[in-house]
Amino acid sequence: MTQRINYVQQSPELFRKFLEFSNQLHESAIEVTIRDLVTLRASQINGCGFCVDMHVKEAHIHGERELRLHHVTIWRESTLFSPRERAALAWTEVLTKLPEHGVSDDIYEQVRTQFSEKELSDLTFQVMAINGWNRASIAFKAVPGSADKAYGLDKAQLA
């Protein structure tokens, strides 16, 4: 696969601002384990190879267990995720797929039992950010693994 254009070079200021926004999420009320699960799941749903590759490596660096990473696609059937993680994954899926009639009260209430208002707001911004990155990476065919060294993902030693 060959990247179409380098959107970082073409729109450096917009890239910098979006990266700044995404980096600010590291200071959010959402723990790193859930951030890793959310970014991986949204990237899987969207079919973003660059981002799936990146977020598997990030999660590995953060100490995530390999089996849990394999189970993210089957999280509903898996016994490896806590109720809070399941709620985050459900929220990620509904916001990534956006049903025709919006987010149901049932899903909102399910998620609301696991997250404070602040946490739910921060989680929503996390989902917004990864969906934005997915769209840029898919549109311009970002090559999986091509930014490993720049982002320190070579430390995952998963190549």
Side-chain angles (χ1 to χ4, degrees):
M1 178 166 69
T2 303
Q3 186 166 329
R4 289 178 170 153
I5 67 170
N6 184 329
Y7 63 90
V8 175
Q9 290 176 347
Q10 296 304 313
S11 304
E13 186 62 20
L14 293 173
F15 171 80
R16 189 179 68 72
K17 292 289 186 182
F18 196 52
L19 184 61
E20 189 177 302
F21 165 73
S22 296
N23 286 336
Q24 185 64 40
L25 292 167
H26 295 204
E27 306 302 319
S28 77
I30 303 302
E31 58 271 28
V32 69
T33 301
I34 288 182
R35 290 195 316 260
D36 287 339
L37 294 174
V38 163
T39 56
L40 178 56
R41 186 63 190 131
S43 299
Q44 289 171 336
I45 292 166
N46 289 321
C48 183
F50 179 87
C51 295
V52 167
D53 179 81
M54 170 184 272
H55 298 301
V56 163
K57 290 171 181 171
E58 282 180 337
H60 182 76
I61 289 168
H62 296 148
E64 185 58 78
R65 295 188 335 239
E66 188 172 343
L67 186 58
R68 280 173 39 100
L69 292 174
H70 288 290
H71 277 224
V72 169
T73 59
I74 58 158
W75 66 268
R76 282 182 180 80
E77 293 82 22
S78 177
T79 60
L80 301 179
F81 301 101
S82 70
R84 183 173 168 87
E85 291 167 335
R86 289 175 180 285
L89 290 165
W91 194 245
T92 300
E93 287 189 2
V94 75
L95 293 183
T96 298
K97 294 177 183 179
L98 281 178
E100 184 177 338
H101 299 290
V103 177
S104 73
D105 290 339
D106 288 343
I107 291 175
Y108 175 77
E109 289 306 321
Q110 171 196 348
V111 175
R112 187 66 182 89
T113 65
Q114 296 296 319
F115 293 93
S116 70
E117 288 183 2
K118 165 74 167 132
E119 290 170 331
L120 187 52
S121 179
D122 286 0
L123 179 61
T124 301
F125 278 104
Q126 183 74 55
V127 174
M128 289 166 48
I130 189 54
N131 276 287
W133 288 117
N134 289 166
R135 278 142 181 80
S137 294
I138 291 167
F140 301 121
K141 292 189 174 183
V143 178
S146 62
D148 282 4
K149 189 166 182 132
Y151 292 128
L153 300 174
D154 51 338
K155 295 175 188 140
Q157 299 180 348
L158 293 177

